[in-house]
């Protein structure tokens, strides 16, 4: 099998199992940023025309930043509809990350204006939609529409974190994107958490607020 054939064989197409005479358009939805200590969670939703193929689209975690950036525009140009949403750190602290992610996904889906009959999520059960929602474990590695959503969400969040890096220099947000890396932890020790940016309910951040309380 040559390279071109191998590439084609890896095209994600699990959603083909759901198309029928009643289901002709499917939304794929995914998130980016559930684990970081800082910044918002992002979600994206994508609908492609039935039969659309792009062997370059894959789970965002399997792609380089350069590749994700290039695919970001390709996905938007070829989608029948898409939505990108965010939920900030304060809301994450208020709701918890699981519920905040569901809110974010709903916001992204609500931006889609074309008709659809099914929503496929990356392992996130959701209720209250006009059509069924099917949560798929590792959906971003199976379905083209979910993988595409993961790319839109990841690129959007990374861009946002780079903007935060310019606004709050010294934390390295542009490098670690808010994850609890050694660089980030060292910056927290030196500079402390940023109100409205760091997630207060996450243990590595919560301890700083606990230490402040003990000082008074």
């Amino acid at each position: 099998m040559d390279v071109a054939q191998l590439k084609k064989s890896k095209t994600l197409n699990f959603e083909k199992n759901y198309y029928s005479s009643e289901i002709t358009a499917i939304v794929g939805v995914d998130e980016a940023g559930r684990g970081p200590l800082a910044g918002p969670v992002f979600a994206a939703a994508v609908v492609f025309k039935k039969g659309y193929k792009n062997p370059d689209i894959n789970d965002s975690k399997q792609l380089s930043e350069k590749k994700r950036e290039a695919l970001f525009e390709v996905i938007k140009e070829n989608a029948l509809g898409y939505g990108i949403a965010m939920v900030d750190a304060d809301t994450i602290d208020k709701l918890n990350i699981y519920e905040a992610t569901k809110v974010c996904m709903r916001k992204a889906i609500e931006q889609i204006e074309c008709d659809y009959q099914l929503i496929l999520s990356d392992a996130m059960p959701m209720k209250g939609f006009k059509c069924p929602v099917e949560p798929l474990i590792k959906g971003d590695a199976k379905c083209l529409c979910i993988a595409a959503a993961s790319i839109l969400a990841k690129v959007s969040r990374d861009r946002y974190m780079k903007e935060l890096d310019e606004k709050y220099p010294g934390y390295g947000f542009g490098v670690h994107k808010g994850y609890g890396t050694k660089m980030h932890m060292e910056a927290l020790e030196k500079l402390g958490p940023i109100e409205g940016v760091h997630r207060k309910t996450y243990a590595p951040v919560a301890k700083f607020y606990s230490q402040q309380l003990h000082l008074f």
Side-chain angles (χ1 to χ4, degrees), residues 4-207:
Q5 289 176 318
L6 180 62
K7 200 173 186 182
K8 186 176 181 181
S9 72
K10 291 184 177 180
T11 300
L12 310 183
N13 61 1
F14 191 76
E15 56 261 59
K16 74 178 189 293
N17 298 303
Y18 294 94
Y19 285 110
S20 67
S21 57
E22 292 79 26
I23 299 175
T24 59
I26 298 173
V27 176
V29 61
D30 201 3
E31 54 73 32
R34 288 178 69 174
L37 308 180
V41 63
F42 271 75
V46 175
V47 182
F48 286 126
K49 183 178 179 180
K50 180 182 177 181
Y52 174 75
K53 295 179 181 179
N54 187 327
D56 291 328
I57 294 176
N58 198 354
D59 169 14
S60 63
K61 296 185 291 296
Q62 304 301 317
L63 302 172
S64 67
E65 182 176 1
K66 183 178 179 180
K67 190 67 173 179
R68 290 194 299 266
E69 285 283 351
L71 286 168
F72 186 82
E73 297 303 328
V74 171
I75 291 167
K76 292 196 297 181
E77 289 170 3
N78 286 275
L80 293 177
Y82 70 89
I84 302 171
M86 62 168 276
V87 168
D88 62 27
D90 286 341
T91 304
I92 292 170
D93 288 332
K94 180 180 179 180
L95 299 179
N96 75 52
I97 186 60
Y98 184 76
E99 294 300 326
T101 299
K102 289 197 287 187
V103 169
C104 197
M105 286 182 166
R106 180 178 294 276
K107 287 184 176 182
I109 294 168
E110 288 174 347
Q111 294 175 34
I112 293 178
E113 298 180 351
C114 66
D115 291 332
Y116 55 88
Q117 299 80 38
L118 177 67
I119 298 169
L120 299 179
S121 74
D122 186 26
M124 178 63 77
M126 294 183 289
K127 298 180 180 180
F129 289 92
K130 64 181 182 181
C131 67
V133 178
E134 184 74 19
L136 298 176
I137 296 174
K138 295 185 178 179
D140 52 3
K142 298 176 181 177
C143 296
L144 192 73
C145 55
I146 299 179
S150 78
I151 292 169
L152 294 191
K154 173 64 174 170
V155 171
S156 298
R157 188 178 190 280
D158 284 357
R159 290 177 178 178
Y160 184 92
M161 295 307 293
K162 288 178 180 178
E163 291 176 4
L164 281 185
D165 191 32
E166 295 180 4
K167 187 175 182 180
Y168 302 104
Y171 287 87
F173 290 139
V175 177
H176 55 65
K177 309 302 189 299
Y179 284 87
T181 64
K182 181 180 179 182
M183 174 193 289
H184 192 179
M185 298 307 295
E186 289 176 348
L188 274 173
E189 290 285 352
K190 180 180 179 181
L191 304 172
I194 305 169
E195 191 73 23
V197 173
H198 282 93
R199 303 175 184 178
K200 297 178 182 178
T201 52
Y202 279 44
V205 180
K207 76 172 187 177

